[in-house]
Structure formats: C-alpha cells, structure tokens
Amino acid sequence: MLPEVAVGAVVVQAGRLLLIRRATPPAAGRWSLPGGRVQAGETLHEAVVREVAEETGLEVVVDGFLGWVERIDPGGAYHYVILDFTAAPSDPAADPKPSTDADRAQWVALDALDGVDLVDDLLEFLEDTGVLERTRTFEL
C-alpha cells in the first residue's frame, strides 16, 4: 500500500484544544485532532479547512505548518503521512458539532489532556511542537 497524504488541525483557543472522538477505524473511540485525507486537486490548507468543517462544523483559518507524523498499520491496512497545521476558529464563540467520521467534537482544556484517551503519541507530539509545555516528569 502506498502512503496517503493527510492533514490535521491544531486549533487552540482560550487554553483549550479542539478534539474529535473518532467514530471509525483506525483508532475508533479515541480522541484526535480533526483531519483526514487530502483530496486530489486540493491544497493542504483547503484540506484542513474542509476536514475541520466536516468533522466539527467549525470554520477555521489556517495559520501555519506545525509538524508531521506517520500512522502505519503493522498489518498493512493503511499508511498515512499526516501534516499538522495550526488554525484559528473564525467564530471563537461557536460550539463544535460532530459529523462524518467523528461521534463527538469538543474543546478540551490543555491541562486536562493527560486524562483523555488520545490517539497514540498525540500528547507527545503536542509537547514536542511546543503546543503544550512539558507536563510529564521523566525518570533517568
């Protein structure tokens, strides 16, 4: 299987991060950033705006590139290269409403993320990219 290009949106406002709970595999039932596959002929920014709108009902403006991750199924079912972008909501007062492959969408306090069932490595990605200050203590 060839890798597929996907995007993710890191939308932070008032100390909260926009998250969706995935309704479909991979990682069904776990919390993640809104995002998904880039469609043919679509720019990365257009894909971010579309995916956030599809999964949360919110309109966003893309700020810039934040980083990338890969999600590879050991069984070969998928291989995604996900390019994550920061974005800001057009209407900061709007509440997210889930749709398409998200069964929930909500703002989650940044300081509460440690207690959320996030997809693998999302918390570390947010820490590594500076979205979160390092909150964990590591033993040497």
Side-chain angles (χ1 to χ4, degrees):
M1 164 167 287
L2 291 174
E4 294 185 71
V5 177
V7 293
V10 178
V11 184
V12 177
Q13 99 164 344
R16 302 175 305 164
L17 176 67
L18 180 62
L19 291 177
I20 58 113
R21 189 171 69 186
R22 298 191 49 80
T24 60
R30 299 186 74 192
W31 290 89
S32 185
L33 301 172
R37 292 181 193 95
V38 177
Q39 297 176 353
E42 185 176 49
T43 69
L44 296 173
H45 284 201
E46 290 168 343
V48 171
V49 170
R50 177 185 51 77
E51 284 288 344
V52 172
E54 285 179 3
E55 293 184 344
T56 71
L58 298 180
E59 292 183 21
V60 296
V61 175
V62 177
D63 293 326
F65 179 68
L66 183 63
W68 63 276
V69 297
E70 279 186 290
R71 299 282 183 245
I72 303 171
D73 176 47
Y78 60 84
H79 179 175
Y80 298 114
V81 177
I82 306 169
L83 306 171
D84 289 309
F85 292 81
T86 58
S90 297
D91 178 1
D95 289 323
K97 295 174 181 47
S99 63
T100 64
D101 64 345
D103 66 9
R104 294 199 48 202
Q106 68 186 53
W107 294 103
V108 176
L110 292 173
D111 60 4
L113 290 175
D114 224 2
V116 177
D117 185 20
L118 299 173
V119 295
D120 292 343
D121 303 321
L122 178 55
L123 188 62
E124 292 81 2
F125 173 79
L126 295 170
E127 290 173 339
D128 291 345
T129 57
V131 174
L132 300 176
E133 294 181 27
R134 291 242 174 227
T135 55
R136 298 178 177 196
T137 347
F138 294 93
E139 292 184 28
L140 299 178

